[in-house]
Amino acid sequence: MPDTSVEQGQHSRVFVADIGGSYIRLGVSDRPRSVRLVESVPTPVDSWEAFGATLEALAARHIGETRSPLVISMAGAIDPASGVICASNVPCVSGRVLGAELSSRLKRRIRIANDADCLALAEAVEGAGAGHDVVFGVVLGSGVGGGLVVGGRVVGGASGIAGEWGHGLSVSARVDFDGMGHAEPVMALRCGCGRVGCVDTIGAARGLERLHALLNDEQKDSHTVLDDWQQGGERARRTVCAWLALVSEPLAAVVNITGASVVPVCGGLSNVAPLIDALDAAVRKRTLRRFRERVVVPGAFRQDGGLIGAAIIARQDDWREP
Ligand SMILES: [Zn+2]
């Protein structure tokens, strides 16, 4: 029997939210490939009561009495078995069965999705990864994130955090700064997760700054380092040379392991096109498969990837049907 509920779901209105450590952004999508931001309010990060009340007020203002579901994109690991979230940037929700608790408070179906998964899904379905079956979406924001999408669906896995390449994979400890085959040691840094040498310690904006300080004994923000690099500064050249070597190696391993044919990059560092170009060249040098086409590409969505991915999830899932 044809599943008409899916067809109806494709075209009905869904609500989405992107919750970060600073803002809650609520959006509405009336049809696929269209999301409109309706309101943005500061995130209450320390009070669960204030957090719930803020979402309740947003829902009352914009969603009203309709049965429309709400999919929330936010940073954090959600245990697939228990639904318990661990979210370091919004401490008041950490340890809660957030989806169920909010569903009961707001009296509608609510699903929480990892923000990197939402970004990866947006890129895979509607963005820079469209047309590819296996897409590995990378986030290089303040930290390193990632999401794996196969056949247009997020792969969460048993842990719910499949695609999380920022921790666990150790970066190489030696870098050939001059391309002459004389690799120099680079000290592995301790990671917030307790391990040493995770990609997250050097891979995104804060990591680039740490790497620059370690190699050059000077503090500069990532924008300045990347500006200096583009203007030919020697210290910045060393930093970016090390960054490319240290990040491309684990990323090439991820491409080998997942079978991804495209890696869209989102987050602050993705705005620096020459850096993403150089990362693509470095990754393709290291993958087992010889890719003729680009693999690492800038993501298509600068601002609203989280909302777009959440809207795709809202339309995909059976949970939203009565
Ligand atoms: Zn780590």
Side-chain angles (χ1 to χ4, degrees):
M1 198 163 70
D3 185 0
T4 53
S5 66
V6 172
E7 184 61 23
Q8 285 163 6
Q10 287 283 325
H11 299 287
S12 57
R13 168 174 281 205
V14 296
F15 286 85
V16 287
D18 188 359
I19 302 185
S22 303
Y23 292 98
I24 296 175
R25 302 165 72 240
L26 183 76
V28 60
S29 170
D30 289 313
R31 60 182 188 284
R33 299 178 183 276
S34 161
V35 177
R36 182 166 46 86
L37 181 68
V38 291
E39 191 174 350
S40 179
V41 296
T43 309
V45 293
D46 295 319
S47 160
W48 166 246
E49 181 48 38
F51 181 88
T54 300
L55 276 179
E56 209 168 3
L58 273 173
R61 280 199 291 280
H62 300 288
I63 308 181
E65 297 299 312
T66 68
R67 292 173 57 81
S68 298
L70 172 65
V71 174
I72 295 173
S73 161
M74 66 184 298
I78 302 139
D79 185 289
S82 65
V84 171
I85 187 168
C86 172
S88 58
N89 64 347
V90 187
C92 69
V93 306
S94 242
R96 291 186 176 272
V97 186
L98 187 59
E101 292 186 54
L102 286 178
S103 294
S104 142
R105 178 157 186 168
L106 274 63
K107 297 182 181 56
R108 70 186 59 252
R109 277 153 297 169
I110 292 180
R111 170 155 168 183
I112 314 295
N114 174 268
D115 61 343
D117 285 346
C118 287
L119 288 168
L121 186 62
E123 293 294 343
V125 176
E126 298 181 14
H132 292 257
D133 190 44
V134 183
V135 177
F136 188 75
V138 160
V139 185
L140 301 178
S142 52
V144 174
L148 177 63
V149 179
V150 178
R153 299 191 82 99
V154 170
V155 179
S159 60
I161 53 166
E164 184 51 77
W165 69 299
H167 302 275
L169 281 170
S170 292
V171 296
S172 159
R174 299 179 76 80
V175 173
D176 178 5
F177 288 98
D178 300 311
M180 306 293 282
H182 307 300
E184 295 175 38
V186 173
M187 192 201 293
L189 300 172
R190 184 163 288 283
C191 184
C193 75
R195 296 174 59 96
V196 174
C198 291
V199 182
D200 195 65
T201 60
I202 51 94
R206 278 200 305 264
L208 187 78
E209 291 161 5
R210 273 190 220 114
L211 197 55
H212 188 78
L214 182 74
L215 295 173
N216 301 291
D217 201 22
E218 70 176 6
Q219 305 289 334
K220 283 194 171 176
D221 66 47
S222 59
H223 299 283
T224 308
V225 173
L226 291 169
D227 283 348
D228 289 355
W229 171 60
Q230 290 179 85
Q231 284 161 23
E234 174 55 19
R235 290 178 165 190
R237 185 196 70 79
R238 281 175 59 83
T239 301
V240 173
C241 174
W243 185 86
L244 287 168
L246 299 178
V247 175
S248 65
E249 205 161 297
L251 190 50
V254 168
V255 170
N256 289 341
I257 292 164
T258 60
S261 53
V262 66
V263 177
V265 184
C266 308
L269 293 189
S270 71
N271 295 320
V272 184
L275 185 72
I276 303 305
D277 294 350
L279 182 60
D280 173 61
V283 166
R284 282 198 284 151
K285 247 189 240 172
R286 291 167 166 85
T287 50
L288 288 173
R289 183 184 170 204
R290 294 285 132 220
F291 288 94
R292 291 208 187 119
E293 308 290 325
R294 280 195 66 149
V295 174
V296 182
V297 295
F301 302 116
R302 287 285 171 267
Q303 259 275 295
D304 292 331
L307 293 176
I308 292 165
I312 296 168
I313 289 175
R315 292 203 164 82
Q316 280 182 339
D317 280 339
D318 298 338
W319 61 272
R320 61 187 298 280
E321 300 302 335

